[in-house]
């Protein structure tokens, strides 16, 4: 009985102990929580309050005015016209719905064009303002689709009635489209053309309520000389297009934004790094929601530097007019284009260049790019390179250079002859100088035969030279710039066209300019190389890079662009002098092919003329593939101390008349202010 009583006492005393232990644990936990709350509020309260209010500073860049392009005398060829701009900087976490609200407010202050809006743009705007409605239209499975697939499904669920907006609503959509094109913390233009003073004032007055919106100054490219050389000067992308699609990665790596305007052709593209300048920098402060709180300029940026070209705009206008007048004269119904290059043989600097073409609608249009990209048979104009090839290959020398000019008839080939000696059986012994002066085709052919190991000729016999010899000729010709890129400071230069049907007869045709095709610029580099004694300079369009003065005028010299030597022709000076003398006799010997034009000319021109057989490939479809001629001219002056070379190419003529030569004389006269141009100089 006593044992039972003691057992009950033990059980009764054990229950309170468990309750006490539980109460102690609960008390301890509450104490820990109270202690922790006290620590967070009292000890770290300020720190957490700062976290709640924390903002983030991000560096944002903006474009600056692009550098200008001047001629050699400081005349502006490409300028900038400042204009007011209304911009938008997108926050880091800004939603489409938030942008649509800003767009709605802004639409009441400015007028924007709705012409470029597409159905997709209107649907994007509808989704921005009807997010809840769109969610109701989606099934549970559709809501789980990945982003791109979900977007396509959403577009399909938007009806034509949904986007049947009024013009006022479309203006909001147009503004939203511009905003939506901006990446996070990047700036885009909402309106940067024809912003009125009233619009500028209204927006400026309400900036505090227009999150991300600001007013700024933008620029647009202008061309004071209208279309003069515009194709060579190149163009700039619009903000809408932004970076060229095939170069996005390259530009982004250099710090560009996707909507930055960049040079997309020719000089604007070649000198993009110079013209673009250094972007301004802004410290953009955003709150935790990603909204822009403040925006302050930390670096005002540096406008792009300016290019100074080698071209004299007054001289350029003269040669443009010469080319236009020739096409207007309609001296040959087959001809529809002309190309002219004037250059300094001592540096490669281009003094003037033009290409003109009669379009299919019978208008004369600019084709300056044809100078560097369009290839033609140049005929006898390249014979200077062939004579020097004879010297370099060792088949002639300064004391052994006489060959017999005679019409040549090889087995299976057309008759090959020189214009001055067309009678079969007639033989005229001539040296290299006479061969150039009288433009002997046969002299050049026999040089090629000697290079191929054939020193004799038999009427109707076989041409015993290897077709592979044409590659050797091309190698020599390339030393003068024929058949290779010239190295001009422009992108996308052509390298001419080489014939692909390799046969022995093509070798002899190549020797006097009747096979491979060259660009006008290659022909210009060739005559430069002969005029200066054997140095092949890269053609150069930009001579200097200059800064901009505070008043906006052309500033201090930053960089002088040195001439670029492509190679030195591997030929003796005496051989070069003989070719130069041959060119002199072209214009000063009674037998010279250009004597009638330059024999009494005061500018002391040395030259080589050319005519090449070709097939018509112009704009008149009725004449396609008809047999025509190209007329060419290369020359330099003064003979003793050359300061200018002139190259003229007149393709597609019905007859062999040398149309290029009198045109070249006008270019020389314009440069030296002689002849019809002397009065203008006064």
């Amino acid at each position: 009985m006593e044992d039972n009583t003691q057992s009950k006492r033990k059980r009764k005393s054990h229950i309170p102990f468990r309750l006490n232990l539980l109460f102690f644990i609960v008390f301890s936990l509450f104490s820990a929580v109270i202690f922790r709350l006290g620590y967070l509020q009292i000890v770290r309260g300020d720190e957490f309050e700062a976290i709640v209010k924390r903002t983030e500073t991000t560096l944002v860049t903006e474009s600056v005015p692009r550098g200008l392009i001047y001629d050699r005398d400081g005349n502006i060829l490409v300028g900038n016209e400042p204009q007011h701009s209304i911009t938008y900087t997108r926050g880091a976490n800004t939603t489409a719905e938030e942008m649509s609200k800003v767009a709605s407010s802004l639409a009441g202050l400015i007028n924007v064009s709705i012409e470029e809006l597409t159905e997709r743009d209107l649907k994007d705007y509808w989704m921005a303002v009807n997010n809840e409605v769109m969610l109701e239209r989606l099934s549970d499975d559709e809501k789980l689709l990945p982003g791109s697939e979900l977007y396509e499904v959403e577009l399909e669920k938007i009806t034509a009635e949904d986007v049947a907006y009024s013009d006022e609503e479309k203006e909001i959509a147009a503004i939203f489209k511009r905003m939506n094109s901006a990446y996070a913390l990047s700036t885009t233009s909402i309106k940067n053309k024809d912003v009125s003073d009233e619009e500028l004032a209204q927006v400026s007055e309400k900036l505090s309520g227009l999150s991300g919106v600001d007013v700024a100054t933008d620029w647009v490219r202008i061309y004071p000389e209208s279309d003069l050389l515009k194709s060579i000067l190149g163009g700039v992308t619009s903000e809408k297009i932004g970076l060229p699609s095939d170069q996005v990665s390259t530009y982004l790596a250099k710090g560009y934004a996707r909507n930055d305007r960049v040079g997309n052709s020719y000089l604007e593209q070649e000198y993009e790094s110079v013209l673009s300048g250094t972007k301004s920098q802004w410290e953009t402060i955003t709150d935790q929601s990603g909204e822009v709180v403040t925006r302050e300029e930390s670096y005002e940026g540096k406008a792009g530097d300016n290019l100074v070209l080698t071209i004299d705009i007054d001289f350029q206008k003269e040669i443009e007019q010469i080319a236009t007048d020739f096409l207007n004269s309609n001296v040959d119904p087959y001809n529809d284009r002309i190309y002219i290059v004037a250059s300094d043989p001592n540096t490669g600097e281009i003094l003037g260049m033009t290409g003109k073409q009669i379009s299919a609608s019978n208008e004369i249009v600019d084709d300056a790019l044809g100078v560097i990209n369009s290839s033609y048979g140049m005929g006898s104009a390249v014979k200077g390179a062939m004579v020097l090839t004879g010297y370099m290959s060792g088949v002639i020398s300064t004391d052994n250079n006489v060959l017999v000019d005679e019409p040549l008839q090889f087995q299976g080939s057309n008759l090959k002859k020189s214009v001055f000696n067309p009678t079969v059986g007639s033989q005229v012994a001539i040296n290299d100088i006479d061969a150039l002066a009288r433009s002997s085709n046969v002299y050049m052919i026999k040089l090629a035969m000697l290079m191929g190991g054939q020193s004799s000729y038999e009427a109707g016999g076989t041409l015993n030279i290897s077709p592979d010899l044409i590659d050797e000729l091309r190698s020599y010709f390339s030393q003068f710039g024929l058949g290779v890129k010239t190295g001009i400071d422009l992108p996308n230069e052509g390298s001419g066209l080489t014939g692909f049907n390799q046969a022995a007869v093509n070798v002899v045709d190549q020797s006097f300019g009747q096979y491979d095709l060259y660009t006008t610029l290659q022909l210009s580099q060739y005559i430069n190389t002969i005029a200066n004694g054997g140095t092949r300079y890269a053609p150069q369009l930009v001579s200097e890079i200059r800064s901009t003065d505070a008043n906006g005028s052309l500033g201090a010299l930053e960089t002088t662009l040195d001439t670029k030597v492509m190679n030195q022709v591997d030929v003796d000076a005496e051989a070069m002098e003989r070719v130069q003398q041959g060119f002199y006799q072209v214009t000063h010997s009674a037998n010279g092919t250009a004597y009638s034009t330059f024999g009494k000319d005061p500018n002391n021109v040395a030259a080589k003329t050319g005519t090449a057989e070709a097939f018509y490939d112009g704009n008149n479809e009725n004449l396609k593939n008809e047999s025509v001629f190209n007329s060419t001219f290369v020359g330099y002056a003064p003979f003793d101390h050359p300061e200018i070379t002139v190259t003229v190419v007149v393709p597609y003529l019905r007859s062999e008349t040398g149309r290029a030569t009198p045109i070249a004389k006008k270019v020389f006269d314009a440069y030296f202010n002689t002849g019809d141009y002397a009065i203008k100089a006064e």
Side-chain angles (χ1 to χ4, degrees):
M1 183 74 178
E2 187 177 348
D3 291 340
N4 290 336
T5 303
Q6 291 177 349
S7 176
K8 289 180 180 178
R9 287 175 182 171
K10 288 180 180 179
R11 286 198 297 270
K12 289 180 181 178
S13 63
H14 183 66
I15 293 172
F17 175 77
R18 288 181 177 179
L19 287 174
N20 289 336
L21 178 61
L22 179 62
F23 287 144
F24 177 76
I25 292 172
V26 172
F27 174 77
S28 299
L29 290 174
F30 272 110
S31 297
V33 170
I34 292 170
F35 176 80
R36 184 64 178 171
L37 287 173
Y39 172 76
L40 293 177
Q41 289 181 345
I42 298 171
V43 179
R44 300 188 63 187
D46 292 341
E47 178 183 345
F48 283 102
E49 182 179 4
I51 290 174
V52 172
K53 297 180 179 179
R54 185 175 62 190
T55 59
E56 184 175 347
T57 301
T58 305
L59 196 64
V60 179
T61 60
E62 286 188 1
S63 61
V64 293
R66 197 168 177 83
L68 311 188
I69 302 179
Y70 295 81
D71 83 335
R72 68 187 305 137
D73 295 323
N75 299 302
I76 297 178
L77 302 180
V78 183
N80 292 326
E81 183 175 77
Q83 54 186 15
H84 296 307
S85 175
I86 296 170
T87 66
Y88 174 72
T89 302
R90 187 171 183 171
N93 302 309
T94 304
T95 65
E97 185 177 2
E98 290 168 338
M99 284 191 293
S100 68
K101 291 178 181 178
V102 175
S104 180
S105 299
L106 193 56
L109 305 175
I110 63 175
N111 295 316
V112 294
S113 172
I114 61 176
E115 293 180 359
E116 295 182 0
L117 279 175
T118 65
E119 183 182 8
R120 174 69 65 89
D121 297 330
L122 295 175
K123 288 185 175 182
D124 285 340
Y125 173 66
W126 186 92
M127 280 195 285
V129 296
N130 294 279
N131 190 47
E132 295 297 328
V133 178
M134 177 55 71
L135 286 175
E136 293 175 0
R137 295 183 182 183
L138 295 172
S139 68
D140 291 340
D141 290 339
E142 288 172 336
K143 291 176 183 178
L144 298 176
L145 291 172
S148 60
E149 292 183 29
L150 175 61
Y151 177 64
E152 293 300 325
V153 170
E154 289 174 331
L155 290 176
E156 291 176 1
K157 292 184 179 293
I158 300 173
T159 67
E161 290 75 18
D162 289 332
V163 294
Y165 291 124
S166 65
D167 286 349
E168 290 75 13
E169 291 172 313
K170 287 181 178 179
E171 283 200 38
I172 301 174
I175 294 173
F176 173 81
K177 176 185 178 181
R178 293 285 186 95
M179 291 179 167
N180 199 36
S181 68
Y183 293 85
L185 296 178
S186 70
T187 301
T188 188
S189 292
I190 302 300
K191 185 176 182 179
N192 60 356
K193 185 178 181 182
D194 300 327
V195 178
S196 68
D197 292 338
E198 182 181 357
E199 289 175 324
L200 195 68
Q202 288 180 335
V203 173
S204 298
E205 193 175 309
K206 300 190 177 181
L207 283 178
S208 59
L210 298 169
S211 179
V213 177
D214 204 350
V215 294
T217 300
D218 201 0
W219 52 267
V220 63
R221 274 313 211 197
I222 58 172
Y223 301 88
E225 298 295 341
S226 188
D227 291 336
L228 200 70
L229 277 178
K230 193 171 180 180
S231 58
I232 294 296
L233 297 172
V236 178
T237 62
S238 65
E239 190 176 48
K240 177 182 176 181
I241 295 174
L243 304 180
S245 58
D246 59 340
Q247 301 176 59
V248 170
S249 299
T250 301
Y251 278 117
L252 289 178
K254 294 178 180 179
Y256 284 78
R258 288 181 180 272
N259 64 341
D260 277 347
R261 289 166 289 184
V262 298
N264 62 355
S265 59
Y266 298 98
L267 281 177
E268 292 271 21
Q269 178 182 344
E270 184 74 12
Y271 290 92
E272 166 64 25
S273 61
V274 173
L275 293 166
S276 61
T278 305
K279 292 183 175 182
S280 61
Q281 296 181 351
W282 294 74
E283 289 186 349
T284 301
I285 301 176
T286 56
D287 59 23
Q288 281 203 309
S289 65
E291 288 299 313
V292 177
V293 178
T294 60
R295 192 166 177 267
E296 296 182 356
E297 186 177 53
S298 58
Y299 172 61
E300 66 178 355
K302 180 179 179 294
D305 285 331
N306 308 299
L307 303 183
V308 179
L309 303 191
T310 59
I311 289 175
D312 180 317
I313 196 62
D314 292 328
F315 179 55
Q316 176 67 29
K317 289 178 180 178
E318 295 286 8
I319 65 173
E320 295 243 355
Q321 192 61 52
I322 290 169
T324 300
D325 289 345
F326 174 75
L327 291 180
N328 277 329
S329 67
N330 195 30
V331 295
D332 192 306
Y334 282 47
N335 170 251
D336 64 358
R337 63 198 65 193
I338 179 175
Y339 303 100
I340 303 172
V341 177
S343 181
D344 182 343
N346 306 298
T347 61
E349 291 184 356
I350 293 176
L351 307 176
M353 62 185 291
T354 187
K356 296 291 183 183
Q357 187 177 145
I358 300 175
S359 68
S361 59
N362 206 36
E363 294 179 322
I364 295 178
V365 296
D366 176 72
D367 189 25
L369 295 179
V371 169
I372 68 171
N373 286 329
S374 298
S375 304
Y376 301 96
M378 300 301 185
S380 300
V382 305
K383 286 177 178 175
M386 186 61 202
V387 171
L388 289 171
T389 294
Y391 277 107
M392 288 186 282
S393 64
V395 298
I396 57 172
S397 63
T398 54
D399 55 3
N400 182 19
N401 48 42
V402 176
L403 298 173
V404 174
D405 185 289
E406 57 184 326
L408 304 176
Q409 180 69 67
F410 298 108
Q411 189 178 48
S413 169
N414 294 329
L415 184 68
K416 308 290 182 182
K417 62 182 185 300
S418 303
V419 173
F420 75 92
N421 187 27
T423 305
V424 175
S426 173
Q427 295 184 329
V428 180
I430 54 174
N431 63 13
D432 52 339
I433 295 175
D434 291 334
L436 290 171
R438 306 182 74 174
S439 200
S440 170
N441 293 340
V442 174
Y443 191 92
M444 310 305 151
I445 293 172
K446 288 194 171 182
L447 286 179
M449 291 169 62
L450 289 172
M451 290 177 63
Q454 184 174 354
S455 58
S456 62
Y457 161 73
E458 179 181 343
T462 303
L463 184 60
N464 292 316
I465 59 174
S466 170
D468 294 338
L469 179 59
I470 198 169
D471 293 328
E472 185 178 351
L473 294 185
R474 286 169 178 161
S475 177
Y476 281 116
F477 280 25
S478 68
Q479 293 190 43
F480 302 90
L482 297 172
V484 292
K485 291 186 177 182
T486 64
I488 190 173
D489 49 346
L490 287 175
N492 307 319
E493 178 194 1
S495 57
L497 296 172
T498 55
F500 56 86
N501 182 20
Q502 226 156 295
V505 69
N506 298 139
V507 177
V508 300
D509 287 344
Q510 175 77 357
S511 71
F512 60 99
Q514 291 286 160
Y515 192 56
D516 285 352
L517 311 182
Y518 309 116
T519 67
T520 305
L521 191 63
Q522 289 173 329
L523 203 62
S524 174
Q525 189 176 57
Y526 149 75
I527 188 58
N528 278 357
T529 305
I530 289 178
N532 68 42
T535 303
R536 182 165 78 100
Y537 292 109
Q540 186 175 350
L541 278 167
V542 178
S543 61
E544 295 176 347
I545 296 172
R546 289 182 173 268
S547 63
T548 302
D549 283 342
N551 61 6
S553 61
L554 191 60
L557 178 66
E558 299 264 338
T559 306
T560 297
L561 300 181
D562 296 330
T563 55
K564 180 181 178 182
V565 176
M566 303 298 289
N567 63 267
Q568 191 76 33
V569 179
D570 187 20
V571 68
D572 292 339
E574 190 176 353
M576 180 65 74
E577 289 171 2
R578 290 189 66 83
V579 169
Q580 291 171 339
Q581 185 59 223
F583 281 22
Y584 182 81
Q585 295 301 325
V586 168
T587 55
H588 290 80
S589 166
N591 290 324
T593 56
Y595 177 75
S596 61
T597 301
F598 288 100
K600 298 180 180 179
D601 187 80
N603 299 319
N604 201 21
V605 174
K608 186 71 192 79
T609 61
T611 302
E613 296 179 11
F615 291 101
Y616 182 86
D617 191 28
N619 294 320
N620 189 334
E621 292 296 328
N622 296 325
L623 303 178
K624 286 293 184 182
N625 296 321
E626 285 201 25
S627 180
V628 290
F629 298 92
N630 300 333
S631 177
T632 60
F633 175 97
V634 291
Y636 58 92
F639 173 70
D640 295 329
H641 301 285
E643 58 181 86
I644 181 176
T645 64
V646 173
T647 302
V648 180
V649 176
V650 184
Y652 311 148
L653 298 165
R654 183 172 53 183
S655 68
E656 296 184 65
T657 306
R659 299 294 182 187
T661 301
I663 294 169
K665 184 181 187 313
K666 290 182 179 181
V667 177
F668 280 117
D669 287 349
Y671 179 82
F672 289 109
N673 297 314
T674 57
D676 293 338
Y677 297 85
I679 298 176
K680 295 180 183 180
E682 297 173 0

